[in-house]
Amino acid sequence: MPNRIIKETICSSRGLASCSIFSQDLYKRLITYADDYGRFNADTEIMLARLYPRETDVITQFDINEALVELSGIGKIEFYTSTPRKDIYAAFPNWNEHQRVRDSKKKMPDPTDTSINDWYLRRFVSLEMKIAILEESKFKCGSCGKNLNPFELDAKNLIKMNTGAIHFDHIVPVNQGGRATFENLRVTCPSCNLKRKKTFTFNEILNFAVNCDEDKELAASCGEFPPNPIQSLSLSESLSESLSESISCEQSSRGKQIPYQEVIDLYHSLCPSLPRVKMLSEGRKRLIKARWKEVDGDLNAFEAVFSNVGKSDFLSGRNNKWTGCNIDWILKQDKFIKIGEGTYNDKSGTDNVFLDMLQRGDY
Ligand SMILES: [Zn+2]
């Protein structure tokens, strides 16, 4: 594995500071594991053998997978698949800013689909939420009642330092539409959690996007997503193919072309403060297609929704109350309707309403 540059800013990174110590350790090892383009094979079996060759008796693939979820949740890595889909890869979005990209041959293929990234993002639970859930549980396993904190550490310490000892379990599994919300999460001991088969094989993850038939995927995308602080799912310039290349028009069931490019253009022009779309993944196409059908192929409906987003201090992030809005969030069925109906439009005194929504996770 090559030598890499690690900058001192890694020590003051707020994102990394919100991760477990193990995730932070994995992150540094990943910098040496990635190829010269900041990409790597995300098969945890290979990662375990390559990154922790002397600790395979202590560290598990489950630990690595949990850390990958955490690192993807804070936006430090993004996952993708290539064609033909046979491996999961990940990439550092800002690799070029930190590492010298040598003139060497790419070891990993170019991304063709980023929908696999959702598998990881849906499982992400922020440090703040973990602390709240752990404190609410009084440090007891939600299944067997075992004391998870015999040495009476504080919640943050326990979560950050004792990865593997505390598991956060989705009561309704993510695969069945469960969300990473306060209500749907509980803390358990490892044995109770693993009994419920929370470990996924590499192939199960890989099959995530393949096996999601359209309806299932839409159901999951439409309001069943966890509220997520992720600013953007988009891949960096270094990764993404040019948008115009990856965008294609296709016929809808009504025989009318779905103008993916025009929808994206409208979004860019009316919501300039929000993360730009750099890749039109299959998941995004499905969202656009679903909304397109619901509004009977009327581009004006998209324009009205994006216009409301751009004008809203809350959704555009101008009032700094929430900065999680992006194209994927806007295109969810319930959000699209609510925005269109003006639910998020600025009104006097609405700040408190939005704050309440934020606190409830209902946004
Ligand atoms: Zn238990």
Side-chain angles (χ1 to χ4, degrees):
M1 290 192 273
N3 295 319
R4 300 282 188 214
I5 303 158
I6 293 192
K7 293 187 179 168
E8 63 175 331
T9 48
I10 201 171
C11 302
S12 53
S13 161
R14 286 182 206 282
L16 286 174
S18 72
C19 292
S20 71
I21 299 298
F22 176 71
S23 296
Q24 295 181 41
D25 176 76
L26 177 70
Y27 181 71
K28 287 171 225 157
R29 290 177 195 239
L30 286 175
I31 294 172
T32 68
Y33 176 58
D35 72 2
D36 284 349
Y37 294 80
R39 302 170 181 179
F40 58 89
N41 185 312
D43 184 333
T44 50
E45 189 176 8
I46 298 171
M47 293 174 77
L48 180 60
R50 290 278 305 277
L51 295 169
Y52 295 93
R54 296 189 187 281
E55 291 156 284
T56 52
D57 55 337
V58 184
I59 293 165
T60 65
Q61 288 185 55
F62 181 87
D63 297 330
I64 292 182
N65 209 46
E66 292 290 287
L68 291 176
V69 167
E70 206 166 26
L71 293 173
S72 97
I74 61 162
K76 290 289 181 193
I77 50 174
E78 290 168 340
F79 294 85
Y80 70 90
T81 50
S82 194
T83 308
R85 186 196 297 266
K86 57 183 170 62
D87 278 303
I88 302 169
Y89 303 97
F92 289 82
N94 303 317
W95 185 258
N96 293 352
E97 291 165 26
H98 301 289
Q99 306 290 339
R100 194 160 51 89
V101 176
R102 291 172 226 185
D103 194 19
S104 62
K105 199 168 175 293
K106 290 172 190 168
K107 294 200 177 104
M108 302 296 145
D110 290 331
T112 51
D113 189 358
T114 57
S115 51
I116 195 85
N117 204 43
D118 292 345
W119 190 94
Y120 295 88
L121 288 178
R122 287 186 200 192
R123 285 162 176 79
F124 175 69
V125 184
S126 69
L127 177 64
E128 291 73 24
M129 195 183 284
K130 284 180 178 173
I131 291 172
I133 292 162
L134 187 55
E135 286 177 342
E136 172 77 12
S137 78
K138 307 270 189 289
F139 300 90
K140 290 199 168 59
C141 170
S143 181
C144 70
K146 195 186 291 169
N147 179 16
L148 299 169
N149 190 16
F151 300 109
E152 301 187 347
L153 303 170
D154 74 40
K156 187 174 178 183
N157 188 319
L158 197 57
I159 290 163
K160 288 193 63 163
M161 307 297 279
N162 292 276
T163 317
I166 310 282
H167 286 213
F168 290 87
D169 176 34
H170 291 77
I171 298 164
V172 177
V174 181
N175 286 3
Q176 292 167 26
R179 298 169 44 154
T181 57
F182 189 82
E183 294 72 26
N184 191 44
L185 286 165
R186 62 175 185 169
V187 65
T188 69
C189 66
S191 58
C192 284
N193 190 30
L194 296 175
K195 254 186 246 160
R196 290 190 72 205
K197 172 130 185 2
K198 299 304 282 184
T199 43
F200 291 88
T201 65
F202 175 72
N203 280 328
E204 281 171 334
I205 300 172
L206 189 59
N207 287 336
F208 163 74
V210 178
N211 289 343
C212 270
D213 62 51
E214 191 164 310
D215 289 340
K216 221 161 110 190
E217 174 71 6
L218 282 173
S221 313
C222 299
E224 292 304 323
F225 249 60
N228 210 313
I230 310 307
Q231 179 72 18
S232 167
L233 303 181
S234 60
L235 286 181
S236 66
E237 295 289 358
S238 63
L239 285 170
S240 55
E241 298 163 349
S242 81
L243 190 59
S244 54
E245 276 172 35
S246 60
I247 288 180
S248 63
C249 280
E250 62 181 77
Q251 299 279 326
S252 76
S253 55
R254 291 167 188 276
K256 205 169 165 185
Q257 294 270 314
I258 301 171
Y260 295 117
Q261 179 68 68
E262 283 169 84
V263 170
I264 300 294
D265 288 347
L266 272 177
Y267 166 75
H268 284 156
S269 72
L270 295 168
C271 312
S273 65
L274 299 184
R276 290 183 71 81
V277 173
K278 291 176 184 160
M279 179 177 266
L280 190 69
S281 62
E282 287 306 311
R284 283 178 174 159
K285 277 190 185 176
R286 276 195 287 270
L287 285 171
I288 293 174
K289 190 172 171 183
R291 301 296 81 77
W292 179 253
K293 280 185 193 169
E294 286 163 5
V295 299
D296 270 341
D298 181 4
L299 201 58
N300 292 330
F302 283 84
E303 187 173 354
V305 166
F306 292 144
S307 171
N308 277 353
V309 172
K311 283 189 281 191
S312 161
D313 285 343
F314 176 68
L315 294 180
S316 65
R318 277 191 297 276
N319 65 6
N320 292 317
K321 295 285 194 303
W322 182 53
T323 54
C325 191
N326 57 38
I327 186 96
D328 306 296
W329 188 89
I330 295 168
L331 290 173
K332 289 178 203 169
Q333 186 181 42
D334 58 336
K335 305 300 182 286
F336 195 82
I337 294 169
K338 278 191 196 171
I339 298 167
E341 289 171 346
T343 305
Y344 299 93
N345 289 1
D346 296 336
K347 301 178 193 100
S348 56
T350 48
D351 277 358
N352 288 338
V353 175
F354 291 137
L355 268 182
D356 288 348
M357 287 166 60
L358 275 176
Q359 279 154 6
R360 289 201 312 270
D362 179 22
Y363 51 90

